[in-house]
Amino acid sequence: MAGNLMIVDNLDLGYPFVADSLKAYDEYSLLITDGIVMDFSDLPDGVRVQRILTVYQLMRSIVEGPNLPYIIMARSDIFNSWPYPDLDNLYDTMRMKTFYSGSDIILMVIGGRIVFRNMLHGEMYGEEYAQY
């Protein structure tokens, strides 16, 4: 069974989609970057929270983590500071996890613009890289 990969940008923590996503599953892994401040008391009991410091740590957490849904919340300034080729590898890692394990993955970038928009439309590397 294949999972779903959803990438959303330009959100803030008060946006209804964020609150709905955090309550959509009884058990999931919540991966957050520095700068994300939230009240964890409203989360379901089955949530595993992990602070992410680097894109490599994020990829490793996804690959080696359980076959649960993942909600990833990243601040745009941190996300945009990661090298583009590494973000391309992150996107491939998320796609493979959803396909092979059936895990849903929701990536939310909080604030500014997202670099995945450029990747998915071929604006960064050219149209040949946008054919996913």
Side-chain angles (χ1 to χ4, degrees):
M1 171 193 336
N4 296 310
L5 174 60
M6 180 180 300
I7 301 172
V8 184
D9 66 343
N10 293 321
L11 298 177
D12 62 43
L13 292 176
Y15 195 75
F17 178 79
V18 175
D20 293 344
S21 295
L22 294 173
K23 296 177 184 173
Y25 306 98
D26 292 330
E27 188 176 12
Y28 61 90
S29 291
L30 176 62
L31 309 175
I32 58 176
T33 65
D34 282 341
I36 301 292
V37 179
M38 56 187 297
D39 181 8
F40 296 108
S41 65
D42 292 338
L43 298 178
D45 291 336
V47 177
R48 299 174 182 154
V49 180
Q50 180 179 351
R51 177 79 57 191
I52 298 297
L53 302 176
T54 68
V55 67
Y56 308 108
Q57 181 188 14
L58 178 55
M59 286 187 284
R60 185 174 177 186
S61 295
I62 293 169
V63 169
E64 297 177 359
N67 293 337
L68 294 173
Y70 287 82
I71 298 177
I72 304 164
M73 300 175 71
R75 273 184 42 130
S76 61
D77 56 338
I78 292 172
F79 194 83
N80 288 327
S81 72
W82 293 340
Y84 290 148
D86 294 339
L87 292 174
D88 200 21
N89 290 334
L90 171 62
Y91 180 65
D92 288 340
T93 300
M94 293 187 303
R95 284 187 24 221
M96 286 187 281
K97 182 73 170 193
T98 60
F99 181 78
Y100 290 110
S101 74
S103 298
D104 288 343
I105 298 178
I106 300 172
L107 169 64
M108 293 181 263
V109 177
I110 310 299
R113 80 188 221 344
I114 186 170
V115 294
F116 278 127
R117 178 179 297 154
N118 294 333
M119 292 170 133
L120 294 173
H121 294 287
E123 296 168 11
M124 185 174 303
Y125 299 113
E127 289 296 327
E128 66 273 15
Y129 290 95
Q131 306 302 316
Y132 291 115

